[in-house]
DNA sequence: GCAAAAGTGTTAGAACTACACCCATGC
DNA sequence: GCATGGGTGTAGTTCTAACACTTTTGC
């Protein structure tokens, strides 16, 4: 490989974050209005460049924090996008990350500064560069992840109801689920704690709150159980 | 994001290839003996640096070709490794790719030039930098991929026998399978063509050859069928 | 009293797992 | 004729998917 380190090209490395949120109406994505050229004024993912003295994960974290004020949230590397002309200004490789955040917990002022807005994943505007592709990849990774690990709870407040959890999974899987089968399956994993309290905001009868019992989940995993969060078709 | 392109760090981008092969004794990995400092003489994945005028996929392809003489083989991006000090010489981000090749079809002379050798995946030497981690990631990606798509055939010659296919899947999943259940499941997908010919090299009775019918598979996929190649526990 | 959302069980069919013996042939 | 690897079938169990009515309560 004649692999002297000299004489190789040094290249801009960017990070782009696909930021998912959830409210009762469905899955959301946080996009920003690009305020510089090229493509100024178009919608875009939040991004930034890798610095020499930080790791990829640290950089993604920093960039997510910049926009949302949040730290220590679910953040997973997705894919490296590396077409030669993906950025028209300069050759840039971008590593995409996706984040799952509780939509109620971010810094609204920062969002305004960046001209950011939440969009329903079913109705996204056209994005710059290859960002549409990145979003697609994030959506399918999320489907996969959600069917093997309890990532759904990252998008929900600590207390949530069964109907909310179901709407979330329906959003992730882009399909409708049968509520009897859904409840049975979720509850059979035995990692949710039912509260006495009810959510009365959205119905007269009220829906019981549940909490995800992370410790119990971890114990089961360490015990070798493989809990699956697969969807159930209607 | 104050995102002028100037004043950002340009960084070395490397590619490392986890190259899988298969022979009747199990899954193999192709490693090279590093012939330059640092870590000269240690085993390593085949790697190289991204050039400004090529895409990540092209670079991975080039590097794979350099070592094996092969092109147009199965090659999938795995993950971007980006710890600050992962390469002691200079800050380098490495995008790992894994390849599935037919172990009989590579260029033996090239291998010798690079001091390359096939190792059983169950008995790998310690590798440089974070290459051990890369191999781990590749193994689990391969498990996932093999349970959803017919990637196993990339590792086999055009004609193969059921026992061979089973050994391959056992290698990928690192588990033993029941041969009756395995055959039933594979054949029920109805994408293998049984030949009249038998492989007589490894048994007196001989085992029938099969071919993977890629067109039939594609037709089923396009038809919305979701064929699964899951393992079956013993 | 009625509208609106929450909650609850059963059943038929499919898929999964476990398991043991016969076959063909080269020596 | 026997050792070696190739090939085959069944039954019990579990999992999945389909499906409709009752409950609660604010208005």
């Amino acid at each position: 490989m004649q692999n002297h380190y000299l004489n190789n090209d040094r290249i801009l490395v960017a990070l782009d974050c696909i930021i998912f949120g959830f409210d009762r109406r469905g899955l959301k994505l946080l996009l920003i209005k690009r305020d510089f050229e090229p493509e100024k004024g178009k919608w875009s993912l939040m991004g930034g460049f890798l610095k020499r003295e930080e790791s990829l994960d640290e950089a993604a974290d920093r960039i997510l924090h910049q926009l949302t004020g949040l730290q220590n949230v679910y953040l997973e590397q997705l894919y490296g996008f590396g077409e030669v002309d993906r950025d028209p200004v300069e050759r840039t490789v971008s590593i995409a990350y996706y984040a799952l955040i509780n939509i109620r917990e971010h810094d609204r002022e920062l969002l305004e500064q960046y001209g950011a807005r939440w969009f329903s994943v079913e109705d996204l505007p056209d994005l710059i560069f290859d960002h549409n592709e990145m979003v697609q990849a994030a959506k399918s990774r999320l489907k996969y992840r959600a069917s093997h690990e309890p990532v759904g709870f990252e998008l929900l407040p600590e207390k949530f109801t069964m109907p909310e959890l179901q709407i979330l999974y329906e959003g992730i899987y882009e399909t409708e689920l049968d509520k009897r089968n859904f409840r049975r399956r979720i509850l059979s994993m035995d990692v949710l704690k039912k509260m006495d309290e009810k959510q009365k905001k959205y119905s007269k009868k009220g829906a019981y709150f549940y909490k995800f019992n992370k410790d119990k989940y971890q114990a089961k995993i360490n015990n070798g159980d493989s809990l699956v969060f697969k969807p159930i078709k209607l």
Side-chain angles (χ1 to χ4, degrees), chain A:
Chain A
M1 116 174 130
Q2 287 89 269
N3 201 346
H4 24 78
Y5 284 65
L6 302 169
N7 302 328
N8 285 298
D9 297 326
R10 273 94 184 150
I11 292 171
L12 276 176
V13 177
L15 295 115
D16 288 298
C17 293
I18 298 99
I19 305 170
F20 288 101
F22 171 72
D23 69 20
R24 270 195 142 248
R25 302 150 50 83
L27 254 193
K28 303 278 159 108
L29 220 59
L30 186 57
L31 301 174
I32 65 174
K33 200 165 217 160
R34 196 164 153 109
D35 69 343
F36 54 93
E37 293 299 346
E39 305 271 24
K40 183 170 172 169
K42 277 191 77 174
W43 292 99
S44 148
L45 296 170
M46 178 66 182
F49 291 102
L50 178 65
K51 300 181 196 224
R52 198 178 300 283
E53 71 284 355
E54 68 187 353
S55 70
L56 286 172
D57 288 355
E58 284 161 0
D61 219 72
R62 167 176 59 81
I63 289 162
L64 180 68
H65 178 77
Q66 241 175 72
L67 176 60
T68 62
L70 297 174
Q71 227 145 9
N72 287 108
V73 298
Y74 186 92
L75 189 59
E76 186 192 348
Q77 189 188 305
L78 189 57
Y79 197 76
F81 291 80
E83 289 304 310
V84 171
D85 53 2
R86 53 173 298 286
D87 187 317
V89 177
E90 179 175 339
R91 176 69 202 277
T92 304
V93 168
S94 176
I95 314 294
Y97 278 74
Y98 74 102
L100 306 179
I101 73 174
N102 179 341
I103 203 164
R104 297 189 211 157
E105 282 187 0
H106 56 73
D107 185 324
R108 280 157 197 287
E109 274 189 35
L110 277 172
L111 287 210
E112 237 169 84
Q113 265 179 55
Y114 283 95
R117 248 192 62 198
W118 287 98
F119 288 82
S120 164
V121 287
E122 287 128 48
D123 191 24
L124 295 173
D126 193 44
L127 306 178
I128 63 162
F129 302 173
D130 47 8
H131 288 193
N132 296 303
E133 223 183 304
M134 292 178 178
V135 170
Q136 265 317 111
K139 281 165 73 178
S140 56
R141 177 72 63 88
L142 181 53
K143 275 182 212 180
Y144 168 65
R145 200 55 77 208
S147 70
H148 292 75
E149 285 160 51
V151 293
F153 308 110
E154 307 284 343
L155 290 157
L156 290 165
E158 199 194 353
K159 292 190 252 180
F160 51 86
T161 65
M162 276 294 162
E164 283 166 352
L165 189 61
Q166 183 172 344
I167 294 169
L168 170 58
Y169 274 82
E170 290 176 333
I172 292 174
Y173 291 116
E174 302 181 283
T175 181
E176 304 213 314
L177 303 175
D178 177 81
K179 63 178 169 176
R180 285 162 293 186
N181 293 338
F182 179 78
R183 287 172 104 97
R184 179 160 353 108
R185 189 127 163 198
I186 292 287
L187 290 173
S188 74
M189 296 187 300
D190 191 27
V191 291
L192 293 193
K193 221 180 359 215
K194 188 177 184 176
M195 308 280 98
D196 294 328
E197 210 182 339
K198 276 186 164 187
Q199 153 83 279
K200 307 271 302 180
K201 242 199 287 195
Y202 303 102
S203 77
K204 336 233 149 138
K205 186 179 180 183
Y208 282 105
F209 278 117
Y210 289 82
K211 275 189 190 174
F212 174 55
N213 188 339
K214 199 161 189 171
D215 294 342
K216 197 161 186 180
Y217 172 76
Q218 265 309 329
K220 281 174 187 270
I221 290 299
N222 296 341
N223 193 20
D225 303 8
S226 88
L227 306 184
V228 167
F229 291 74
K230 280 216 182 97
I232 299 154
K233 267 183 230 119
L234 175 86

